[in-house]
């Protein structure tokens, strides 16, 4: 394989950082976009240590001019962009009525319009060459919304709709540029330590939780095999999406009953921790937060995602079995 040039947004932590490391191990040129300088510098060091070449460009994905400038810098350093991974996001954990209008707007600008900005910038370069791949890091919550994350769920739903529209346009043009989505489960990233939260207790991902390396492997696989519309990571993602198609009303009632408690730990949140909605918490002189969050003890280092990504038949079998099990659990709860 020729040396690739890969742009990764949200590259300073979590899935983006783990993905940068994997591409670096293949000798890729990796362009890192995020707001926090400390996290970007540390990720660039990770890339160089693993055999890749790194370029860190501090970028707010909500600003189209900054995204365009980052792409220019990438091409000046490494030449044409082969893969663009949209991953950056931010969020607010709170009931909808407790989220301020400017906060909602900010989440949407980063977590949805950031993907729009990245996709536009990538396509402006890939379409004239008739080559390139865009990978959108999605979420099961882009199909099945949950309480307390209305801004994030809305953004991820929008990413799915936007991407489907762009895909059909590329098909109409008979373009060789590819765009695909990787739908993620709950992942152990630092976001739960710095997300803006108005919950009484610390926020947490809804179990089962996976390590960011699991997600990163799926992103790299999608970049290598981008002709599928989407990939599901983890049986929980496939089961959630399928269960929502089969019994959405039942799932509504189940989540209304369990969704608040499942997204909070047992530890009270004093409301004094820094949050990254408006400013990065890993900007100089703040420290680097790494790729992992605080749930290493319970996060899974591997999953059925390899089979799901590479063998669609197995994916349906896993999703079907999980959905049946989930439906049985919800029916038992409803009968109580």
């Amino acid at each position: 394989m020729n040396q690739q040039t890969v742009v990764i947004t949200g590259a300073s932590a979590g899935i983006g950082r783990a993905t940068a490391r994997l591409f670096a191990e293949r000798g890729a040129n990796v362009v890192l976009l995020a707001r926090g300088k400390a996290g970007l510098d540390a990720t660039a060091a990770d890339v160089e240590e693993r055999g890749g070449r790194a370029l860190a460009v501090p970028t707010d994905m909500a600003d189209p001019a900054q995204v365009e400038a980052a792409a220019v810098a990438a091409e000046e350093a490494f030449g044409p962009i082969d893969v663009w991974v949209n991953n950056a996001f931010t969020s607010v954990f709170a009931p909808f009525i407790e989220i301020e209008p400017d906060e909602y707007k900010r989440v949407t600008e980063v977590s949805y319009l950031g993907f729009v900005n990245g996709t536009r910038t990538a396509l402006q370069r890939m379409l004239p060459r008739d080559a390139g791949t865009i990978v959108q890091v999605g979420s099961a919550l882009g199909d099945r919304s949950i309480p307390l994350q209305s801004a994030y769920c809305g953004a991820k739903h929008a990413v799915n709709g936007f991407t489907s529209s762009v895909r059909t346009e590329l098909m109409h043009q008979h373009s060789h540029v590819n765009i695909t989505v990787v739908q993620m489960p709950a992942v152990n990233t630092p976001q739960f330590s710095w997300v803006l939260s108005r919950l009484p207790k610390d926020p947490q991902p809804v179990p089962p939780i996976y390590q960011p390396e699991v997600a990163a492997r799926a992103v790299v696989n999608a970049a290598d095999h981008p002709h599928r519309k989407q990939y599901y990571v983890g049986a929980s993602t496939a089961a959630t999406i399928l269960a929502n198609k089969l019994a959405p009303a039942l799932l509504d009632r189940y989540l209304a009953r369990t969704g608040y408690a499942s997204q909070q730990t047992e530890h009270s949140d004093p409301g004094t921790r820094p949050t990254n909605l408006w400013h990065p918490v890993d900007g100089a002189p703040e420290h680097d937060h790494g790729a992992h969050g605080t749930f290493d003890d319970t996060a899974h280092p591997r999953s059925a995602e390899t089979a799901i990504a590479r063998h669609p038949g197995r994916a349906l079998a896993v999703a079907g079995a999980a959905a049946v099990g989930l439906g049985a659990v919800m029916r038992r709860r409803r009968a109580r």
Side-chain angles (χ1 to χ4, degrees):
M1 180 180 295
N2 295 330
Q3 187 176 43
Q4 289 181 308
T5 294
V6 182
V7 176
I8 302 174
T9 78
S12 60
I15 295 173
R17 185 159 181 171
T19 301
R21 291 170 174 170
L22 284 186
F23 275 113
E25 290 172 1
R26 308 197 322 184
N29 304 315
V30 188
V31 184
L32 309 165
L33 276 53
R35 293 177 300 162
K37 187 177 186 304
L40 276 178
D41 289 346
T43 306
D46 288 348
V47 169
E48 298 284 350
E49 289 170 2
R50 287 165 172 77
R53 294 195 298 169
L55 174 66
V57 186
T59 306
D60 186 338
M61 292 302 298
D63 184 345
Q66 291 189 38
V67 179
E68 175 64 20
V72 170
E75 290 185 318
E76 289 178 348
F78 300 129
I81 297 167
D82 299 297
V83 177
W84 186 291
V85 179
N86 281 313
N87 168 68
F89 78 96
T90 188
S91 188
V92 177
F93 277 65
F96 165 68
I97 201 65
E98 296 180 20
I99 304 175
E100 297 296 331
D102 61 337
E103 296 168 347
Y104 218 97
K105 180 181 178 182
R106 175 62 178 166
V107 172
T108 304
E109 288 176 339
V110 175
S111 302
Y112 169 48
L113 292 182
F115 280 58
V116 173
N117 295 335
T119 301
R120 179 190 298 109
T121 297
L123 286 178
Q124 287 172 341
R125 288 156 173 80
M126 294 176 177
L127 286 174
R129 295 187 290 111
D130 198 27
T133 294
I134 299 169
V135 180
Q136 316 282 45
V137 176
S139 170
L141 304 189
D143 277 84
R144 171 64 253 183
S145 295
I146 61 176
L148 304 178
Q149 292 200 57
S150 62
Y152 177 81
C153 291
K156 287 302 186 183
H157 273 74
V159 167
N160 283 342
F162 159 73
T163 302
S164 292
S165 183
V166 173
R167 181 184 299 108
T168 56
E169 292 174 7
L170 293 173
M171 293 170 65
H172 173 77
Q173 298 165 16
H174 303 288
S175 174
H176 292 98
V177 177
N178 296 294
I179 187 167
T180 186
V181 185
V182 183
Q183 308 291 14
M184 298 297 178
V187 181
N188 176 33
T189 73
Q191 69 136 330
F192 298 94
S193 298
W194 63 36
V195 69
L196 175 59
S197 174
R198 295 197 173 93
L199 306 181
K201 297 182 179 180
D202 290 335
Q204 70 171 7
V206 179
I209 305 168
Y210 295 89
Q211 294 290 23
E213 289 77 15
V214 174
R217 290 193 291 270
V219 171
V220 173
N221 180 69
D224 289 343
H225 308 281
H227 298 289
R228 284 179 54 183
K229 176 179 178 178
Q230 61 185 348
Y231 290 85
Y232 296 159
V233 181
S236 59
T237 297
T240 297
I241 292 173
L242 183 58
N244 190 56
K245 295 180 184 300
L246 296 176
L250 191 61
L251 200 53
D252 278 350
R253 291 191 288 273
Y254 175 75
L255 290 168
R257 179 183 297 179
T258 66
Y260 278 59
S262 65
Q263 295 185 78
Q264 300 180 70
T265 70
E266 298 178 354
H267 307 292
S268 297
D269 182 359
T272 57
R273 64 182 189 166
T275 63
N276 78 335
L277 183 63
W278 302 107
H279 304 285
V281 298
D282 57 348
E286 300 296 333
H287 70 280
D288 167 43
H289 290 258
H292 288 209
T294 59
F295 303 96
D296 278 334
D297 291 344
T298 55
H300 303 291
R302 57 186 58 85
S303 76
E305 60 90 13
T306 301
I308 287 174
R310 297 178 181 175
H311 304 285
R314 294 185 191 177
L316 291 174
V318 171
V324 170
L326 179 60
V329 170
M330 292 190 293
R331 286 193 294 273
R332 286 197 298 270
R333 286 180 175 270
R334 186 177 59 173
R336 290 176 181 173

